[in-house]
Amino acid sequence: MKIRPQMPKEKIEGCHICTSVTPGEPQVLLGKDKAFTYDFVFDLDTWQEQIYTTCVSKLIEGCFEGYNATVLAYGQTGAGKTYTMGTGFDMNTSEEELGIIPRAITHLFSGIEERKQAAQEQGVPAPEFKVSAQFLELYNEEILDLFDSTRDPDSRHRKSNIRIHEDASGGIYTTGVTSRLIGSQDELIQCLKQGALSRTTASTQMNVQSSRSHAIFTIYLCQMRVCSPVHLVNGETNSLLEGSQPASEYETRTAKFHFVDLAGSERLKRTGATGERAKEGISINCGLLALGNVISALGDQSKKALHVPYRDSKLTRLLQDSLGGNSQTIMIACVSPSDRDFMETLNTLKYANRARNIKNKVVVNQDKTSQQISALRAEIARLQMEIMEYKAEMRRETSAVNNSNSELGTL
C-alpha cells in the first residue's frame, strides 16, 4: 500500500488528509474508523528506493533461481501508479525518484555481472544469460505492441493481430508480439522509454496526463549454468564412482517478470470525460471489474471450487498465471490521501484487501533435460546415502562379531 503526497493543487484547494499510518504497524486508517492491514504500508514521505528494496528486490533475485514474478500497480486515476512503476520518463526525474522498473533493470544486469564474476573467482564456467523484453498496451480491449515501430499511431482503433494462448502447463503466452533481444542495461532502458512514449495518454479533470490503457512490460531471463554439486553428510559429492571427479553438468532456468501499470479506475462524473475519453474510461473500468472478479474468486476460500472468470477480459487472460498460477506476485495499491478522494481510496483499500487472500504456488522453470538431471542427481544422492548407512551398519555388525570372538577366545 502506497500513499502519495498531496498535490500542490489539492493543498491550494484546501483538501485535508484523511489517511494515517499506525506507527510500527503495516496498517492504514481511513477517516476515523476504517482500518486496513497489509504486508507493507508506505506513507506520504516514503522514498522510491525503500519501496523497491522492501517489495521488489527479492523478486529479481528469485528470477535468477527460475521463479516468475509480477508487480501490479493499482489505484484510482492520479494516484501515482505510473510514477511508482517508473514509466513516466519526465525529463526532470532525479535518481532518487526513479521508479520500480528502471531500478529492477539496474538490479538485473548488476546481478548478471556479479554471478559471472563469482563463477570466475570459483574457477567454474561462467553462466550464460539471455535477456529479452516485450511491451504490450491494452487499449479498449485491443492488445497493441508498443515495440512495433511500423505500427500506425491511428491503428489502435483497428483490430489487433496479437493472440493469447495457453501452453500444456497452464502458462500464458502471446503470438504476433515483437520480442527484443537485449544486450545491456542502457539498451533495455531505451526500449522501455520508447515503448512508454508510445503509450496512449490524455488529459482529464482528475489527471493532466492520464494513462488511457493498461501496460504490461515483460522481461524474460534465460540462463544456462553449471549445476552446483550435491554435498552429502561426509562432504562427498554425487559422483557415480567413489573417488571420481564429478563432471560439469549444466542446467537451463528461465523466468519472466511482468511489470503491470494498470490504468486508473475512474468515475466519469469526476473526470468530466466525454466522447472518446468516456469510451476509454468505460473500457478501463470493465477490465478492472473483471480483474476484481478474478481476485474475489481466487481469494474467497468458500468459492474455491467455482469457475475463475479469466476469459471475461483480455487483461485477466494475460495475467492469468500471475494472478492464480506460477508467479510470485505483488500488488502495489496506490491511493490519494486527500478527503475529496475518500470513496476512491476506500474502494482501492477494499480491492487490495481481497488480493491479499490469494496464495500462489510457485515452481522453478527448468527445461525438461535439466529437470531429469536434477531428479537423477537427487536419486544418486539418496542411493549414496543408503550405501553409506549400509556400510556403517556392516561395520558395526563386523565389530560386534569380532568382539564376541575375542571374548570366546579369552574364555
Side-chain angles (χ1 to χ4, degrees):
M1 174 60 57
K2 179 178 183 290
I3 305 170
R4 69 158 170 79
Q6 273 194 312
M7 302 289 189
K9 183 183 176 184
E10 292 171 329
K11 293 178 180 177
I12 292 168
E13 292 174 358
C15 296
H16 297 287
I17 291 177
C18 64
T19 61
S20 60
V21 177
T22 306
E25 295 290 333
Q27 188 179 66
V28 179
L29 189 66
L30 182 64
K32 294 180 180 178
D33 56 351
K34 292 178 173 60
F36 296 87
T37 302
Y38 302 99
D39 297 308
F40 309 104
V41 173
F42 303 104
D43 209 353
L44 309 167
D45 54 354
T46 306
W47 288 94
Q48 294 273 67
E49 184 181 5
Q50 186 182 343
I51 297 170
Y52 179 80
T53 305
T54 307
C55 298
V56 187
S57 178
K58 58 191 175 188
L59 299 184
I60 288 287
E61 292 298 320
C63 283
F64 285 110
E65 298 306 315
Y67 293 104
N68 296 336
T70 303
V71 176
L72 295 111
Y74 174 83
Q76 74 169 91
T77 184
K81 300 178 297 300
T82 300
Y83 174 81
T84 302
M85 294 302 289
T87 57
F89 288 107
D90 189 333
M91 295 300 290
N92 301 318
T93 302
S94 64
E95 197 165 322
E96 289 79 12
E97 292 180 306
L98 286 175
I100 286 170
I101 304 179
R103 290 178 187 274
I105 291 171
T106 303
H107 187 174
L108 177 70
F109 280 93
S110 63
I112 288 173
E113 289 306 315
E114 284 171 12
R115 281 159 177 79
K116 287 181 177 179
Q117 186 69 33
Q120 192 176 354
E121 290 171 0
Q122 293 167 13
V124 297
E128 295 179 12
F129 292 92
K130 188 171 77 171
V131 180
S132 59
Q134 293 179 351
F135 204 170
L136 299 177
E137 175 184 49
L138 188 61
Y139 176 79
N140 284 347
E141 275 299 291
E142 286 297 329
I143 306 172
L144 307 176
D145 186 355
L146 294 177
F147 280 168
D148 185 3
S149 55
T150 62
R151 181 171 64 92
D152 182 359
D154 297 326
S155 66
R156 61 171 55 96
H157 300 288
R158 300 174 200 153
K159 196 161 183 66
S160 168
N161 294 321
I162 297 171
R163 297 286 177 267
I164 306 169
H165 302 279
E166 185 173 351
D167 62 25
S169 60
I172 300 298
Y173 66 96
T174 52
T175 55
V177 181
T178 306
S179 184
R180 292 200 177 167
L181 197 60
I182 306 298
S184 67
Q185 175 183 326
D186 291 339
E187 187 181 348
L188 188 50
I189 289 284
Q190 195 57 41
C191 286
L192 173 65
K193 191 177 292 188
Q194 177 196 330
L197 294 175
S198 302
R199 194 177 168 194
T200 310
T201 59
S203 177
T204 68
Q205 288 181 11
M206 290 184 72
N207 191 354
V208 176
Q209 196 172 11
S210 174
S211 300
R212 311 309 296 161
S213 64
H214 308 297
I216 303 174
F217 181 69
T218 307
I219 298 174
Y220 295 90
L221 177 68
C222 177
Q223 64 173 315
M224 190 170 74
R225 65 185 186 183
V226 175
C227 297
S228 54
V230 177
H231 291 277
L232 303 178
V233 178
N234 66 348
E236 294 180 17
T237 56
N238 62 336
S239 55
L240 280 167
L241 297 172
E242 198 171 324
S244 67
Q245 289 296 318
S248 293
E249 294 174 351
Y250 287 86
E251 64 175 355
T252 302
R253 293 196 177 188
T254 58
K256 64 178 176 181
F257 202 133
H258 288 312
F259 298 92
V260 187
D261 181 10
L262 298 170
S265 57
E266 54 186 50
R267 288 189 287 169
L268 298 183
K269 186 177 178 182
R270 288 203 60 193
T271 58
T274 57
E276 195 65 33
R277 297 290 85 79
K279 184 183 175 184
E280 292 167 352
I282 292 167
S283 176
I284 289 166
N285 288 341
C286 285
L288 294 175
L289 175 63
L291 180 61
N293 291 337
V294 168
I295 287 171
S296 295
L298 290 169
D300 190 349
Q301 302 300 320
S302 63
K303 294 182 181 178
K304 218 165 188 180
L306 292 182
H307 166 69
V308 180
Y310 289 118
R311 293 176 182 269
D312 285 3
S313 166
K314 287 181 181 175
L315 174 64
T316 49
R317 187 73 172 131
L318 282 167
L319 298 178
Q320 180 173 329
D321 50 359
S322 298
L323 296 169
N326 179 25
S327 176
Q328 295 176 311
T329 302
I330 284 182
M331 175 187 277
I332 301 178
C334 302
V335 298
S336 160
S338 298
D339 53 1
R340 73 176 180 188
D341 297 321
F342 185 93
M343 286 310 299
E344 283 86 353
T345 298
L346 178 60
N347 289 335
T348 302
L349 294 173
K350 288 179 177 177
Y351 202 102
N353 206 44
R354 298 205 307 269
R356 268 193 88 205
N357 297 326
I358 300 174
K359 305 295 180 189
N360 280 358
K361 293 179 181 177
V362 294
V363 295
V364 172
N365 298 303
Q366 281 182 306
D367 67 321
K368 289 185 179 179
T369 304
S370 297
Q371 287 176 348
Q372 289 172 344
I373 289 172
S374 296
L376 290 170
R377 290 170 75 240
E379 180 70 8
I380 289 167
R382 186 184 66 78
L383 292 171
Q384 283 187 321
M385 185 66 75
E386 286 183 8
I387 290 168
M388 287 165 56
E389 289 173 357
Y390 176 74
K391 286 180 177 178
E393 184 66 30
M394 289 296 292
R395 279 195 292 267
R396 282 195 296 270
E397 289 180 5
T398 304
S399 177
V401 169
N402 290 337
N403 289 338
S404 298
N405 290 336
S406 61
E407 287 175 6
L408 288 170
T410 305
L411 290 172

